[in-house]
Amino acid sequence: MKLPLDGIKIIDMTGVQAGPACTQLLAWLGAEVLKIERVGEGDITRRQLRDIEDVDALYFTQLNSNKKSLELNPRTPKGKEVLEKLVQEYDMLVENFGPGALDRMGFTWERLQELNPRLIFGSIKGFEENSRYNDLKVYENVAQCAGGSASVTGWWDGPPTVAGAALGDSNTGMHLAIGLIAAVRQRDITGKGQKVAVSMQAANINLNRVKLRDQLRLEKLGKLEEYPQESLGLEFDDAVPRGGNAGGGGQPGWILKCKGWETDPNAYIYFTIQGQNWKRTAEAIGKPEWAEDPEYATAQARLPKVFDIFKYIEDNVLADKTKDEAVDYLRKFDIPCAPVKSMKEIAYDEDLRESGTIVEVDHKARGKYLTVGCPIKFTAFTPEIKESPLLGEHTRETLALLGYSEEEIEEMIAEKVVGETIHLKLESTI
Ligand SMILES: CC(C)(COP(=O)(O)OP(=O)(O)OC[C@H]1O[C@@H](n2cnc3c(N)ncnc32)[C@H](O)[C@@H]1OP(=O)(O)O)[C@@H](O)C(=O)NCCC(=O)NCCS
């Protein structure tokens, strides 16, 4: 079956998470992705937090499925020649090196255009080119801090907090993937490539749209009525505060304890008081009279009492129900809610397995392992999630396709311009 990106060839000079998440998605959509890796070392994640000795770490296998691997040192003259040939033949080059690293290798955007005007160049950095921080190297949590997320996450009496989800890394990769697909479409029209750049800070800010909304409201009104601070009578500062587990919109919500919370750290549900569903919510919580009672009937009236209402629900509705029983009960009343899922529950969830959001992949060195599959579902095709490549597994095949003879390839391997390490035996790192 034809896939959307069939025929698109990508030079993947990405590492760690942000870039690899992008090119992996494009590979699932049919692109041929060739990962360029350091000779004898590969992507650092191959040996980060290994769970099996001498076998590529899950960090690598989960972010580099469906790709090929070429070990190449583009900092040597011969290695440069190989990369130049690839640039001339491929459709895209995607990178997320530290600032200036690709330029120092001799592959500036100007040079890439000279080599191939149709090339689409995707680049991830921590900050945008004009930023006063543009020289900084950036990892996930740095981006969450720079993008505003940390300042609005956590508790008002605690420090800024980062989320466990990769709002800096994988999120930026997904943004870049959208940009690259748009650039392919534009190239269909104009015949020309272009540079597509996404900074981790900007991608993170894009997820903080409603927090910017709140900043503007705070400046205008001096308070944010739906934030817990308002219900708890706390002062507002001049910047959006951390709101604990409050809902981001006008529908107050909170994480509520269910039966077993004393011993199970995830025995909770998220409960939302949806204004337009207040009558049924009141019924669900055993207080039908609150539907009409002016003390409770409007969102405005409920706000100062919202934590009392949540406490009432915990004590009287949820205390004798597990999180799943609670959701089964509340769903009858159309209450927006869900159990707090642990990663263990996600890993073994039958529905997620069936839909392909969690998939099992067979890897030639590691055997079977679980990974997150494609979250986007299509009617015309189903992305197939395949194993990640061993280090340098496709070095020979790639060089032969570029026209190098067996002899030349052997020479380049001997000179460490390229490599075919296959099983990386370097010690595991964190
Ligand atoms: C992620 C990051 C912090 C890692 O930093 P790092 O491990 O020091 O690695 P860099 O990407 O800066 O690369 C280091 C060097 O390796 C070199 N290198 C990379 N691939 C190479 C290869 N195949 N052969 C030889 N050298 C190679 C680079 O040329 C660079 O050299 P230089 O800085 O001396 O000129 C950094 O790449 C970064 O800030 N990237 C942009 C933001 C980003 O994507 N972060 C998210 C990570 S999930």
Side-chain angles (χ1 to χ4, degrees):
M1 183 191 291
K2 281 266 171 220
L3 297 176
L5 297 183
D6 266 350
I8 297 291
K9 292 165 70 171
I10 302 177
I11 306 166
D12 180 13
M13 298 186 82
T14 68
V16 200
Q17 184 176 170
C22 167
T23 49
Q24 173 172 259
L25 180 66
L26 300 179
W28 292 343
L29 302 184
E32 181 184 322
V33 177
L34 178 67
K35 189 166 171 101
I36 309 274
E37 300 188 70
R38 290 176 179 82
V39 178
E41 288 180 41
D43 188 325
I44 179 96
T45 58
R46 282 190 187 268
R47 61 192 166 108
Q48 263 179 336
L49 307 168
R50 275 183 170 171
D51 57 326
I52 307 175
E53 208 180 326
D54 296 344
V55 172
D56 290 332
L58 288 163
Y59 199 2
F60 180 84
T61 61
Q62 292 192 336
L63 284 154
N64 291 283
S65 59
N66 300 45
K67 300 182 185 178
K68 294 182 171 185
S69 166
L70 164 66
E71 269 175 284
L72 174 75
N73 185 352
R75 303 213 285 191
T76 60
K78 199 76 187 162
K80 248 184 213 26
E81 177 193 290
V82 173
L83 185 54
E84 283 182 3
K85 282 183 195 245
L86 288 170
V87 168
Q88 281 160 340
E89 283 199 11
Y90 276 55
D91 299 278
M92 278 186 207
L93 187 155
V94 186
E95 63 92 27
N96 69 323
F97 292 131
L102 195 64
D103 294 353
R104 290 193 289 279
M105 278 184 197
F107 291 88
T108 59
W109 169 224
E110 291 68 32
R111 177 71 186 132
L112 292 172
Q113 282 171 288
E114 272 168 28
L115 289 166
N116 179 0
R118 284 177 58 81
L119 187 83
I120 294 164
F121 172 42
S123 178
I124 290 175
K125 295 286 165 269
F127 294 88
E128 293 177 326
E129 275 171 23
N130 70 320
S131 168
R132 62 191 176 280
Y133 301 114
N134 68 7
D135 57 326
L136 295 178
K137 287 184 174 181
V138 170
Y139 284 109
E140 170 66 51
N141 292 346
V142 179
Q144 288 199 32
C145 288
S149 295
S151 79
V152 293
T153 306
W155 299 89
W156 42 89
D157 53 358
T161 305
V162 293
L167 309 180
D169 281 343
S170 279
N171 169 46
T172 306
M174 298 304 103
H175 277 81
L176 182 62
I178 295 167
L180 292 172
I181 292 168
V184 170
R185 177 69 188 119
Q186 193 160 32
R187 192 180 70 169
D188 289 343
I189 301 165
T190 65
K192 290 203 186 92
Q194 62 182 305
K195 177 174 174 178
V196 183
V198 184
S199 79
M200 294 168 74
Q201 183 189 38
N204 194 248
I205 290 171
N206 192 31
L207 300 188
N208 281 322
R209 195 167 291 265
V210 300
K211 296 297 177 183
L212 181 60
R213 171 203 69 188
D214 293 348
Q215 179 61 34
L216 302 182
R217 291 169 56 229
L218 180 63
E219 286 171 18
K220 192 119 193 150
L221 307 168
K223 62 178 189 170
L224 296 164
E225 57 184 352
E226 78 286 15
Y227 275 60
Q229 283 77 356
E230 181 71 356
S231 315
L232 298 171
L234 302 170
E235 288 289 303
F236 281 91
D237 206 343
D238 60 357
V240 177
R242 293 185 266 291
N245 288 321
Q251 314 286 359
W254 205 251
I255 289 187
L256 302 185
K257 291 171 187 158
C258 295
K259 186 175 155 189
W261 67 273
E262 298 89 341
T263 50
D264 176 354
N266 294 306
Y268 293 81
I269 60 165
Y270 201 89
F271 187 100
T272 315
I273 300 178
Q274 194 190 21
Q276 63 268 43
N277 195 35
W278 174 241
K279 189 168 182 299
R280 302 205 66 206
T281 308
E283 204 185 314
I285 65 177
K287 285 284 182 187
E289 65 275 20
W290 283 359
E292 305 300 334
D293 183 340
E295 282 292 305
Y296 291 92
T298 64
Q300 234 59 33
R302 286 190 297 271
L303 263 183
K305 299 187 266 292
V306 78
F307 284 102
D308 297 332
I309 298 175
F310 288 142
K311 176 87 174 67
Y312 177 85
I313 297 170
E314 279 183 336
D315 293 345
N316 296 281
V317 185
L318 305 177
D320 64 346
K321 296 179 184 64
T322 65
K323 62 183 175 183
D324 287 321
E325 289 165 354
V327 168
D328 274 345
Y329 172 72
L330 296 170
R331 72 193 332 157
K332 295 182 193 128
F333 300 89
D334 272 346
I335 291 172
C337 64
V340 168
K341 291 274 183 192
S342 70
M343 285 313 294
K344 183 176 177 186
E345 288 169 305
I346 302 265
Y348 301 103
D349 186 293
E350 281 171 23
D351 298 345
L352 296 173
R353 294 289 187 99
E354 192 188 321
S355 71
T357 293
I358 298 290
V359 286
E360 196 170 67
V361 179
D362 206 357
H363 183 271
K364 56 173 82 68
R366 128 179 322 275
K368 290 194 192 313
Y369 68 93
L370 279 190
T371 191
V372 181
C374 186
I376 310 163
K377 307 297 187 281
F378 300 87
T379 53
F381 72 102
T382 303
E384 191 190 343
I385 316 300
K386 301 180 194 154
E387 66 180 341
S388 57
L390 300 174
L391 180 55
E393 190 177 345
H394 305 92
T395 296
R396 269 176 201 273
E397 138 188 340
T398 309
L399 295 176
L401 282 171
L402 291 176
Y404 291 101
S405 67
E406 274 293 307
E407 218 171 43
E408 286 172 304
I409 296 172
E410 289 300 342
E411 208 170 294
M412 282 196 266
I413 290 176
E415 288 167 359
K416 294 198 169 23
V417 171
V418 300
E420 48 176 0
T421 301
I422 305 296
H423 295 298
L424 187 63
K425 296 211 185 289
L426 294 176
E427 225 168 82
S428 177
T429 94
I430 54 165

